[in-house]
Amino acid sequence: MVAFTILAGGYGVFVATYLFNSSDSTLSLLSKSPTGPNPSWITTHLMNRSLLYAVNEISQGALQTFEVSPGGALSHPIDTTSSGGDSPAFAVTLSTGKVAVMNYESGNGRIVQTTESGLYFDQEEVTPIVTFPRLDGGASHPHMAFEHGDEILVPDLGGDTIWRLSKSGSIQGFIPQPKGSGPRHIAIYGQHLFTLHELSSTLTVQLIPPAPNGTSPIISSVSVIPSIQPPNASYAAAEILIPTPTKDFPVPYIYVSNRNVGFQDARGDSITIFEHVNVDTPEEGLVLVKEVFTGLSQIRGMQFGEVRRGEAFLVAGGVAGDAGIVVLKRGDQGRDLEIVARNREVPTRTTFVWL
Ligand SMILES: *[C@@H]1O[C@H](CO)[C@@H](O)[C@H](O)[C@H]1NC(C)=O
Ligand SMILES: *[C@@H]1O[C@H](CO)[C@@H](O)[C@H](O)[C@H]1NC(C)=O
Ligand SMILES: *[C@@H]1O[C@H](CO)[C@@H](O)[C@H](O)[C@H]1NC(C)=O
């Protein structure tokens, strides 16, 4: 038996722990651990999976630490610090041991120093708040922080840009994005930057421009909206993942989640698979490989299992409806996905961690 423990945060006051057994494809709810309000994004410490960080996505936003027991239940919150703003919807640990947290509503974020191997926030060092300038009058809505080399990239959905920060959090420059596109989440593979735009529901690819303020043309831009849409559907793309290639899954396919925030049909949201083809040739582009429907409503977060352990599996959940969470299995070397397990005991979830 190969069993995987999965943590799932969401709106509410708990993180749910599930056990996925890949031999008989069962997915069971093990526990619900109390947290502060709205742990809508959770992430483990880079070097220590027994250490979990969760945002409190509320107007007085916060960040909390937890210890994860071997069975996957969380301790009480060990430490809590302010996120420095309104509605933090994303947090990630950096190679420096600091934690980056981004406040969607107030257009700012913090790179928080930790102590004691990450279990506590350093209350001595007052971390400056990074405030993103308003571009062209649009309100800033930073949605993610992505460490790459010696930079932190922050897609800003309101500013139609991707900010380039130093590791300590000072703004060095930015990568402009198409007007009105609403860049939400990004992924990097090799020298290419892949951006998922929420407002235009598009996926784009471009070379990472030279730091700090270079530009590069968009090589390809494709719609991620399902080819057949229910009446009165309205799309707002959410998550993009490019799992590290392995022997079983050698091609770096791009997996994108759609959110139909309008009228939903029985098929639910799709996860769409793309391939980056003819790289570095005049025919370079993004091509649609497959649309896979999940029965979920508004997939905000999804996550692949760990490389060389659970890499065949993807967990996803919706923030609306009552379809719970699903585990999908990659087939055809990653060109396909098939739902292998579902659990509806907690109706909505937004963020996942595989232990
Ligand atoms: C990981 O974190 C847990 C919880 O704080 C701690 O007990 C454990 O010693 C840490 N492990 C390592 C290798 O630092
Ligand atoms: C990058 O552009 C921003 C905005 O124009 C500017 O404030 C900043 O000084 C530039 N950075 C560099 C290193 O040129
Ligand atoms: C779509 O929206 C229109 C305008 O609000 C409404 O009249 C119509 O009934 C809707 N159709 C469906 C299938 O929900």
Side-chain angles (χ1 to χ4, degrees), residues 25-313:
S25 292
T26 53
L27 180 61
S28 36
L29 178 66
L30 293 182
S31 58
K32 287 158 88 174
S33 303
T35 62
N38 296 346
S40 65
W41 196 270
I42 59 173
T43 188
T44 50
H45 190 279
L46 263 188
M47 314 303 291
N48 187 345
R49 307 189 75 75
S50 303
L51 209 51
L52 188 82
Y53 298 91
V55 299
N56 292 157
E57 192 187 339
I58 53 174
S59 54
Q60 302 277 312
L63 188 60
Q64 299 190 299
T65 57
F66 299 86
E67 285 179 338
V68 185
S69 76
L74 306 190
S75 65
H76 61 90
I78 303 281
D79 201 4
T80 300
T81 194
S82 166
S83 68
D86 184 351
S87 301
F90 188 91
V92 68
T93 60
L94 307 173
S95 57
T96 53
K98 297 182 183 185
V99 186
V101 56
M102 292 297 144
N103 298 300
Y104 177 82
E105 280 300 336
S106 50
N108 59 11
R110 277 181 85 198
I111 315 279
V112 183
Q113 180 73 270
T114 60
T115 62
E116 295 183 41
S117 310
L119 194 54
Y120 292 89
F121 300 113
D122 190 343
Q123 311 288 0
E124 304 287 297
E125 187 192 296
V126 184
T127 324
I129 292 171
V130 188
T131 301
F132 299 102
R134 286 164 164 249
L135 293 173
D136 302 332
S140 165
H141 293 307
H143 221 308
M144 184 190 199
F146 189 105
E147 182 172 1
H148 178 254
D150 50 16
E151 291 187 289
I152 301 165
L153 302 178
V154 177
D156 183 338
L157 190 150
D160 290 325
T161 202
I162 298 171
W163 297 104
R164 307 183 85 155
L165 276 55
S166 69
K167 287 284 174 66
S168 59
S170 64
I171 299 172
Q172 313 280 320
F174 58 86
I175 308 169
Q177 296 299 310
K179 261 205 170 9
S181 66
R184 177 183 172 107
H185 279 194
I186 59 173
I188 286 177
Y189 187 78
Q191 298 307 308
H192 288 91
L193 168 65
F194 298 83
T195 306
L196 188 64
H197 305 265
E198 171 174 329
L199 304 183
S200 56
S201 281
T202 48
L203 168 66
T204 60
V205 60
Q206 66 191 118
L207 284 166
I208 303 168
N213 262 354
T215 57
S216 66
I218 285 178
I219 298 165
S220 182
S221 174
V222 288
S223 170
V224 303
I225 292 175
S227 41
I228 299 171
Q229 304 160 31
N232 295 352
S234 173
Y235 290 94
E239 184 63 296
I240 172 170
L241 300 171
I242 306 179
T244 306
T246 60
K247 190 165 70 53
D248 291 344
F249 303 99
V251 178
Y253 292 111
I254 306 146
Y255 299 80
V256 165
S257 82
N258 290 304
R259 288 186 301 167
N260 179 357
V261 296
F263 182 81
Q264 186 66 268
D265 66 3
R267 299 175 307 166
D269 282 343
S270 60
I271 296 170
T272 310
I273 309 169
F274 290 93
E275 184 175 2
H276 184 200
V277 299
N278 302 321
V279 179
D280 297 333
T281 75
E283 286 76 42
E284 180 168 2
L286 296 164
V287 298
L288 174 71
V289 173
K290 179 109 194 209
E291 294 173 344
V292 179
F293 288 87
T294 61
L296 300 170
S297 183
Q298 300 185 32
I299 305 173
R300 196 174 289 194
M302 56 182 190
Q303 201 64 251
F304 279 97
E306 286 300 288
V307 169
R308 282 184 286 279
R309 194 169 118 77
E311 70 204 51
F313 300 105

